[in-house]
Each structure stands twice: as structure tokens, then as C-alpha cells.
Amino acid sequence: MVHFMVGPSYRVEEPNVTTLATPSEALSRIDEWYNTEKLFFPRDSIKAIYQQLQRPLKKGDEIFVKGLDGVNIAFLVRTGDSYCYDGEEYTIGEPFIRYISYESLKATMESSLELQHLAYCNLQIQHYVTSHHQGPGEPMANIVLKSLSEVEHLFSTCLRVWEVSEVWAQIKTAVSSANTASIIGKIIGLACGTMSYPDDIPYYSYNSVFQHALLVATRRFLQERFNCEIACAVQDPAYTDIDKSVLRSYGIKVLEDPEGFLEIDEASLVFSCAPNLPVKQIVLDMTRPALLIWDTVHDEDGKLDGYLEADPDSSRVIQIMSRSYETGEFPQNEHFGDMAIYVRREVDSKG
């Protein structure tokens, strides 16, 4: 089993700072910053964290993250540590970036005083944690993944099915008629999931397979339509070595987090379906891609059945999408859910 944890952290205070903001003060400032279009996911900030993660980190090192208030937070690297809890032994793995939406940042402040020093830190460092049976140290029973040959066969079969489907025919028409289609130079897929999960986990791998099939088919179609070379890359920490092998065999570059986000520019087509992180808020803080295929943006409160969504439609997301994009229909399909195709209006692009 894989879990996640935030390691110890502290504010790297200026000499004249002696107290932290109260929760009400912090909430007020977060709202003020968001409503005045302060970037919550600046490209430079994410790139700075990534550069630190690329170093040969060891236990005891620190990773520095600049908060929304400009104050650095130091996160302690705990890779290699282990601890016991409730009869299980846990080993702490590599650090990674946790992206916290505007809504989740506020919810955390409203429900916890223990993390008050992280009130303005929506980019945090977490660690992968693997649990084992305590005692002999044997790993817990893991999910038995599909083999390489099984995933290769599944993907090639689903790709053939997809390319002759009516759903793809409709999407192809919508994409080809987009005024920005001819400028697309790269396709970036975000959080598309693993294709290797066994069939006893209903729909999971099949959804992922068809979503990656869409990426391959879209690239082939655009290259043929405009007689040009188009790069295609994906980012998802869930990818197994088998996933990576299959994807690379179709010319898809597999990127580590956050390389996929950093690759996106105004000549990109971005695809994401039901991600487990705030993709919309991250992408739209960075740039205005030429074409977006992702979950339909709704003018709602960012909650699903009373719980915060992982990729909520914040007021800023709603405003940007309304102002900068034309909305096109994405055909209903069991492997994609409620999605739409968004084409950028050329009068409003952001590099």
C-alpha cells in the first residue's frame, strides 16, 4: 500500500516577524489575493521546487517553498525513515509536490490550527510512504498488475476500436474545426491513470487505456491534417514501468511531475479527465493553452456530495474559461464522464 505524508516544516522568518496570522486574518488575505488575481501556481515557483527535487536529496536535507506571502517554508526530507503505527511498519520514500487548490487551502485553515504556519503555502512537500507487515518486514499483499504483453494487447485493441468509433469521429470534427487547431505543437495529458490495474478493479484500466488512445489518435490526426510533427507527453506518478514502456512505443514521452505542467504553453492541447489534483487552477495560472479537453466547468461551489472536489471550478477558473474560451461538446462516453472541448479565443491568450 502507498500512503502520503507531509514531513516536518517551518517558516523561514524575517527577523521582524514574531507572530503568525490568525485563521480569520489568513482566510481574509487568501480571499483578497485570489480575487485580485494573484497567481497561486506560478510557473517560476513550481520550477524552483522541481529544481530542488532534482538534486540527490538525502534524509535531513531541506526543500524551500515560497508561500503566497513571500515567506519561505522549509520542508525536511525524511526519505529512508521508518516508523510503526497500528501494527504496521512504514518506510518513507521520495518527496514530491502536493498541489493545494484555493478551496482546499481555505478549508484546511478553517479546520486545523496545527498547520497554521502553512496557511499561505499551497505548494507543499509530501513523501510517498509504503507500509509493510511489522516483524519479518514482508511487503503487504499488493495489487497484481497486468503483464506487459497484456497491456500491449489491450491498448492496441482499444486504439483500433477507438479510431473507428462514432465518439472519436465527433471529437475529430470538433478539434479540426477549432480556430487554434493549426497552431498546436504539443499534446499534454495530465493524470490519465495507469493502464496496468487488473480487471477486478472495475473500469479503472479501461478508462485509462481509452484516454491514452484519444491522445495517440489526436496526435496522428493533427499530424496528418496539418502535415507537421506534434509532440505528445503525459504526466502521472501512477504510471508503472509497464505503462511507460507501452506509451513510449507509441511515441508518447512520459514526464515526471511537474515536467508536464512546465511543458504547457499557448500552443498546447491539454487533456485531463477526473484528475486527483487541481489541474485547471494550475494550468490557467501558467498560460492559456490553445485547446483544452477536460472536465466540464460548472458554475458551482466546487463540491461533490458535500466534499471538496480534487479539481474544483473556482471563481477564477469560471471567469477565465468564460472570457477566454469557446465551449464545444464532448460526446458522452462511459470512459470519460462529463467533459467538454474548450477552444481559446485568439483575442485572449497568455504566455
Side-chain angles (χ1 to χ4, degrees):
M1 292 178 64
V2 177
H3 304 267
F4 312 104
M5 69 167 296
V6 178
S9 59
Y10 65 92
R11 285 170 62 91
V12 183
E13 301 282 13
E14 301 93 336
N16 62 339
V17 176
T18 57
T19 60
L20 296 174
T22 65
S24 61
E25 290 171 339
L27 289 170
S28 178
R29 292 189 73 184
I30 291 169
D31 278 336
E32 179 184 352
W33 287 330
Y34 204 74
N35 293 330
T36 55
E37 300 189 1
K38 180 182 181 69
L39 297 181
F40 273 43
F41 300 100
R43 184 186 297 270
D44 289 346
S45 295
I46 294 175
K47 185 175 181 179
I49 301 171
Y50 173 58
Q51 290 172 339
Q52 294 178 75
L53 291 172
Q54 289 296 101
R55 297 179 301 162
L57 295 169
K58 62 183 184 301
K59 177 181 172 181
D61 287 343
E62 291 180 332
I63 298 171
F64 296 94
V65 178
K66 182 175 289 187
L68 296 170
D69 58 351
V71 176
N72 277 323
I73 302 292
F75 290 86
L76 187 67
V77 175
R78 294 190 60 191
T79 302
D81 264 354
S82 62
Y83 64 94
C84 294
Y85 177 77
D86 197 24
E88 295 290 341
E89 182 181 354
Y90 295 85
T91 300
I92 301 175
E94 297 298 319
F96 65 94
I97 304 173
R98 178 192 178 200
Y99 304 89
I100 304 175
S101 68
Y102 158 69
E103 294 83 354
S104 292
L105 189 65
K106 288 183 60 181
T108 300
M109 279 304 302
E110 291 170 344
S111 62
S112 175
L113 296 178
E114 297 179 2
L115 302 178
Q116 195 174 349
H117 69 290
L118 298 178
Y120 303 134
C121 190
N122 67 316
L123 292 167
Q124 298 182 10
I125 302 301
Q126 285 193 332
H127 288 75
Y128 295 106
V129 178
T130 305
S131 64
H132 303 264
H133 280 305
Q134 192 173 3
E138 295 293 329
M140 292 182 66
N142 291 319
I143 296 170
V144 179
L145 301 176
K146 289 186 174 74
S147 68
L148 175 60
S149 60
E150 287 175 321
V151 177
E152 287 175 334
H153 176 72
L154 177 63
F155 189 78
S156 62
T157 300
C158 290
L159 179 58
R160 289 194 298 270
V161 170
W162 176 256
E163 289 185 314
V164 297
S165 69
E166 178 59 28
V167 172
W168 167 236
Q170 293 178 46
I171 294 172
K172 189 163 52 174
T173 298
V175 170
S176 65
S177 63
N179 63 288
T180 56
S182 62
I183 69 169
I184 293 173
K186 64 181 75 169
I187 297 171
I188 306 292
L190 301 169
C192 297
T194 175
M195 301 182 289
S196 304
Y197 271 18
D199 294 338
D200 57 358
I201 302 178
Y203 305 112
Y204 195 101
S205 62
Y206 284 92
N207 291 347
S208 177
V209 167
F210 276 102
Q211 289 167 27
H212 287 97
L214 181 148
L215 298 178
V216 172
T218 302
R219 182 192 189 200
R220 289 176 175 176
F221 169 68
L222 289 175
Q223 288 185 148
E224 181 178 346
R225 174 78 168 77
F226 296 106
N227 191 29
C228 64
E229 183 63 30
I230 294 176
C232 185
V234 291
Q235 172 189 301
D236 194 327
Y239 288 136
T240 65
D241 289 341
I242 291 172
D243 293 321
K244 294 175 183 179
S245 177
V246 173
L247 293 170
R248 287 167 180 156
S249 72
Y250 284 86
I252 297 178
K253 186 175 183 179
V254 180
L255 301 175
E256 299 300 321
D257 178 39
E259 292 174 335
F261 290 123
L262 298 175
E263 278 288 320
I264 297 171
D265 58 24
E266 62 181 27
S268 298
L269 182 160
V270 176
F271 173 86
S272 183
C273 178
N276 60 352
L277 72 166
V279 165
K280 294 171 186 170
Q281 295 184 23
I282 297 168
V283 170
L284 295 177
D285 262 12
M286 288 186 166
T287 189
R288 304 287 185 270
L291 198 146
L292 300 165
I293 303 178
W294 62 21
D295 295 346
T296 301
V297 175
H298 295 287
D299 189 4
E300 296 173 356
D301 62 2
K303 291 185 178 181
L304 182 65
D305 296 330
Y307 295 93
L308 278 175
E309 296 181 35
D311 187 25
D313 298 329
S314 67
S315 57
R316 183 187 296 179
V317 166
I318 294 168
Q319 182 182 47
I320 291 173
M321 297 302 295
S322 175
R323 180 185 67 212
S324 303
Y325 289 86
E326 298 285 351
T327 305
E329 181 180 357
F330 188 100
Q332 285 294 317
N333 182 271
E334 61 180 334
H335 299 296
F336 293 88
D338 181 16
M339 301 188 70
I341 300 173
Y342 296 96
V343 181
R344 190 185 66 222
R345 297 187 177 101
E346 282 302 315
V347 294
D348 195 343
S349 64
K350 174 184 176 182

